[in-house]
Amino acid sequence: MVTLEEISKNYYLGSTVVNAVSDISITVNDGEFMALVGPSGSGKSTLLNIIGCIEKPTSGRITLDGTDVTDVPTDRLADIRARRIGYIFQTFNLLPVLTVSENVEYPLHLQGVDKAERRRRVEKVLHEVGLERFSTHKPAELSGGQRQRVAIARALVGSPSMILADEPTANLDHKTGMDILTKMKELNQRLGITFIFSTHDQKIMSIADRIVELRDGRLSNN
Ligand SMILES: Nc1ncnc2c1ncn2[C@@H]1O[C@H](COP(=O)(O)OP(=O)(O)O)[C@@H](O)[C@H]1O
Ligand SMILES: [Mg+2]
């Protein structure tokens, strides 16, 4: 469970203050499949980065599974993130020189998981996303939808309780985007992983259990 209490994030550009998100209070329960929607610049990425412990809020409190992480130092936050949270990006963010397997294995290296266990887990998650036959390919040899599946496998490999996806379908055609969302939904239902994803595609919102809308950095419903 994630609880945000009166979260705000400001960016300072010279003498200008940008209120990227303002006064957000929301609870996301375990197992939710939630869409964060709103136009470009409304604060979706900022909010996901705060939930994902990638950025710290300027004010407000954030609690993950009952632990207040607001004042946790950045290095310990990275550790919490690695063990609990998977992240999927709009542009896939795969390392081009690594194979599919190596990309998926990468976060386990950072966590110091031993080789046999890494192999076992990589094989399992590649099977989850239907890419076992592509394990030795490089990202450039894959379609956009396949690349996003690699990113899903990489997000899954640490057995997170929550996966955050920032416009995961924005660089895909509509059908491929729906396939990716359907895969995420299946993982949500079968494994009980919480998903929070951002989108501004109306059709894609329909698959969400819950839709939270942002306007100019503020919640506009809920
Ligand atoms: N690193 C940053 N520095 C300055 N302003 C930023 C930064 N990141 C985001 N912003 C600003 O914060 C607002 C919200 O941005 P963002 O969270 O990226 O929105 P969205 O993901 O909905 O497009 C925008 O006005 C954006 O320009
Ligand atoms: Mg964004």
Side-chain angles (χ1 to χ4, degrees):
M1 189 170 95
V2 187
T3 307
L4 304 183
E5 291 169 87
E6 294 172 16
I7 289 286
S8 296
K9 174 77 181 181
N10 299 335
Y11 292 108
Y12 299 90
L13 297 171
S15 56
T16 331
V17 182
V18 179
N19 306 118
V21 296
S22 304
D23 199 23
I24 306 270
S25 295
I26 189 174
T27 295
V28 184
N29 290 308
D30 291 343
E32 281 203 79
F33 195 75
M34 190 183 105
L36 199 56
V37 308
S40 182
S42 59
K44 301 182 297 297
S45 296
T46 303
L47 196 58
L48 283 173
N49 290 343
I50 289 171
I51 296 172
C53 304
I54 291 173
E55 287 186 57
K56 280 191 174 279
T58 308
S59 61
R61 304 212 70 81
I62 170 161
T63 310
L64 287 183
D65 298 329
T67 307
D68 189 328
V69 293
T70 318
D71 300 320
V72 170
T74 315
D75 53 336
R76 268 206 49 221
L77 269 188
D79 200 46
I80 291 173
R81 189 166 70 231
R83 281 183 291 104
R84 297 196 191 179
I85 303 171
Y87 222 102
I88 299 170
F89 302 90
Q90 174 177 342
T91 51
F92 323 130
N93 287 22
L94 302 176
L95 292 165
V97 297
L98 300 185
T99 65
V100 165
S101 284
E102 289 162 349
N103 266 285
V104 174
E105 189 182 11
Y106 191 67
L108 297 180
H109 267 292
L110 300 181
Q111 286 178 60
V113 176
D114 74 57
K115 190 171 174 188
E117 177 66 10
R118 290 202 306 267
R119 250 202 209 152
R120 195 186 67 76
R121 290 217 231 160
V122 169
E123 209 166 285
K124 181 161 169 265
V125 295
L126 284 180
H127 178 73
E128 289 280 7
V129 299
L131 283 181
E132 54 277 72
R133 287 189 300 117
F134 294 86
S135 61
T136 59
H137 288 234
K138 296 272 174 68
E141 299 160 1
L142 304 177
S143 68
Q146 287 172 327
R147 287 181 210 181
Q148 200 54 305
R149 281 172 190 269
V150 177
I152 294 176
R154 182 184 53 189
L156 274 177
V157 81
S159 306
S161 53
M162 176 167 73
I163 292 182
L164 305 174
D166 194 1
E167 302 206 34
T169 63
N171 283 9
L172 304 174
D173 63 73
H174 182 71
K175 186 192 168 296
T176 309
M178 282 309 282
D179 289 346
I180 289 295
L181 261 288
T182 305
K183 174 48 83 180
M184 284 166 43
K185 178 88 181 179
E186 181 219 314
L187 294 166
N188 162 256
Q189 292 182 325
R190 193 158 47 80
L191 305 177
I193 301 170
T194 308
F195 276 83
I196 306 176
F197 64 96
S198 65
T199 182
H200 44 231
D201 183 336
Q202 288 285 347
K203 292 185 207 111
I204 274 169
M205 290 173 205
S206 63
I207 198 171
D209 300 334
R210 177 179 175 196
I211 296 176
V212 167
E213 196 175 345
L214 279 173
R215 294 263 155 202
D216 297 329
R218 291 176 183 276
L219 291 185
S220 74
N221 61 351
N222 202 259

